[in-house]
Amino acid sequence: TSVDKIKANGFVTMSTNAEFEPFEYKDGEEIVGIDIDISNKIAEKLGVKLKINDVAFDSLTTELKTGKTNFVAAGMTADEDRKKNVDFSDTYFDASQSIITLKGSPIKTRADLTGKKVGVQQGTTGDTYCTDEKGTSDVKVASTERYNKGVDAIADLINGKIDAVVIDDFPAKKFVEKNPDKLVKLDDALTVEKYAIAVPKGDTEMLKAVNDVLSELKSSGELNKIIDKYKAA
Ligand code: GLN
């Protein structure tokens, strides 16, 4: 079984996209963040080492499908489309998409995104919201500019190439904290989302291992401690 194999190998593989502070990001050479702390607890529980694959966000579900990884911890929203391809753990964080603009921008609410050029991270729920293929969103942006890294979208916003960035609220807060003179995060919450850890479809054993750890981290208060640590960082 998957867990027997992990124990025999002596390591468990987790895939992520380390461009999403505070959930996963690089501190020098080291990848750190909320998801890394949770993943280390999962490895500890299995009695093995943690191996991290750092890949593009939009290839994470493929990593699971092709057997390249045991789980994905990437601030990933448990959404219905993804559930066709992967199984999700219990959720561990409530999030929403939010808007970042330049200070003094005419964009003050989500309605003001209409007709604007908006930067998103490729393949994320922010991309889905802005692109609005189903025509259900309440904004009709002029164009969605897709980036592999949130930080590149922020750079284009500062350069004036795009009018706003739509990204998850906690990373948005971190970007604004780093550029307080130039950027603002609007109060509008565009979506209601919950993060979960993804495992290969049908891997009930891995799913149980992940859920056991999440439930322990929640009941002991450790999960809140981890989140608070990165709020302050
Ligand atoms: N929560 C968003 C999603 O799941 C973005 C995640 C990320 O960029 N790491 O699509």
Side-chain angles (χ1 to χ4, degrees):
T1 66
S2 59
V3 168
D4 288 339
K5 215 170 150 191
I6 288 164
K7 288 184 175 163
N9 287 339
F11 64 86
V12 62
T13 308
M14 180 277 264
S15 295
T16 194
N17 173 235
E19 302 289 347
F20 199 64
E21 187 177 354
F23 290 90
E24 39 272 329
Y25 60 102
K26 285 172 207 119
D27 182 8
E29 290 293 288
E30 203 193 353
I31 298 176
V32 297
I34 296 168
D35 286 327
I36 313 307
D37 286 6
I38 296 172
S39 298
N40 272 314
K41 297 284 179 188
I42 294 168
E44 215 174 274
K45 173 92 176 172
L46 295 167
V48 296
K49 287 207 174 103
L50 178 69
K51 188 173 161 246
I52 301 175
N53 285 352
D54 181 18
V55 301
F57 185 82
D58 64 354
S59 57
L60 287 170
T61 52
T62 308
E63 291 263 304
L64 287 168
K65 277 185 135 178
T66 55
K68 285 195 182 128
T69 196
N70 298 114
F71 67 102
V72 164
M76 186 179 270
T77 302
D79 79 351
E80 292 308 316
D81 273 347
R82 291 176 183 148
K83 281 180 193 166
K84 292 174 199 153
N85 295 307
V86 304
D87 284 340
F88 280 111
S89 71
D90 297 333
T91 61
Y92 64 93
F93 192 83
D94 293 338
S96 69
Q97 295 301 305
S98 60
I99 304 165
I100 304 176
T101 64
L102 289 181
K103 267 194 173 165
S105 159
I107 301 170
K108 301 290 180 210
T109 68
R110 69 163 86 192
D112 300 331
L113 289 179
T114 299
K116 296 290 193 288
K117 268 175 115 172
V118 182
V120 298
Q121 292 180 97
Q122 167 113 3
T124 61
T125 46
D127 185 354
T128 307
Y129 177 84
C130 289
T131 309
D132 191 28
E133 275 166 0
K134 291 177 185 152
T136 50
S137 170
D138 49 358
V139 299
K140 303 283 171 251
V141 306
S143 66
T144 309
E145 306 297 324
R146 298 188 177 82
Y147 299 85
N148 270 324
K149 304 177 183 184
V151 70
D152 293 339
I154 295 294
D156 272 4
L157 176 63
I158 291 172
N159 293 334
K161 284 194 191 139
I162 53 177
D163 303 305
V165 171
V166 167
I167 195 165
D168 299 50
D169 49 354
F170 204 170
K173 192 168 161 282
K174 292 287 177 187
F175 281 125
V176 172
E177 276 171 14
K178 288 199 183 107
N179 288 284
D181 306 336
K182 293 189 177 144
L183 303 177
V184 278
K185 175 179 167 305
L186 304 189
D187 292 332
D188 269 24
L190 307 182
T191 56
V192 177
E193 306 183 18
K194 285 177 188 295
Y195 295 168
I197 288 172
V199 302
K201 204 149 192 54
D203 191 346
T204 50
E205 221 190 353
M206 193 60 216
L207 189 63
K208 184 179 181 315
V210 170
N211 278 335
D212 285 352
V213 170
L214 286 176
S215 125
E216 283 167 27
L217 292 177
K218 285 178 194 174
S219 60
S220 66
E222 182 75 20
L223 180 61
N224 283 332
K225 274 191 206 152
I226 292 171
I227 292 166
D228 285 347
K229 177 173 109 187
Y230 287 99
K231 257 188 194 147

